[in-house]
Amino acid sequence: MPLRFIGIDPDTKTADSPTVWVDQEKKELVFQGWKPGPELEAECARFEVPGHAVGIPDDEAVIRIPARMAQMIREACDAVERTDDR
């Protein structure tokens, strides 16, 4: 998988490392973040979206990314969109 590193949480400590990458081949954003607490995960699992099953599918996960990484996420979105221009 050809990952392109976009950025890491600027306030990261040695053990914390929320990170953003772009998978240029699959045109996907890839995130490493904090696992949610049980309350947040349960709240997400209960969320109802019309046309979708309630719950978190086994092949998906909820993660938390700090808002201070918004610019990195925008950059990753731009990078994915640019791969369509080739």
Side-chain angles (χ1 to χ4, degrees), residues 1-53:
M1 172 177 6
L3 288 181
R4 175 181 168 193
F5 173 78
I6 300 296
I8 192 167
D9 178 5
D11 290 353
T12 192
K13 310 292 186 265
T14 56
D16 295 334
S17 54
T19 307
V20 179
W21 297 272
V22 169
D23 180 328
Q24 294 176 302
E25 184 177 292
K26 292 184 178 180
K27 300 179 183 173
E28 297 175 342
L29 306 180
V30 179
F31 297 103
Q32 175 179 326
W34 300 301
K35 293 179 181 179
E39 297 84 14
L40 177 59
E41 189 166 26
E43 183 178 352
C44 291
R46 288 190 306 268
F47 200 82
E48 293 187 37
V49 177
H52 291 270

Side-chain angles (χ1 to χ4, degrees), residues 53-75:
V54 174
I56 301 167
D58 290 340
D59 62 341
E60 295 181 11
V62 173
I63 62 164
R64 294 172 42 238
I65 299 284
R68 63 183 164 264
M69 294 179 69
Q71 184 56 40
M72 290 175 209
I73 296 167
R74 286 185 196 102
E75 182 181 340

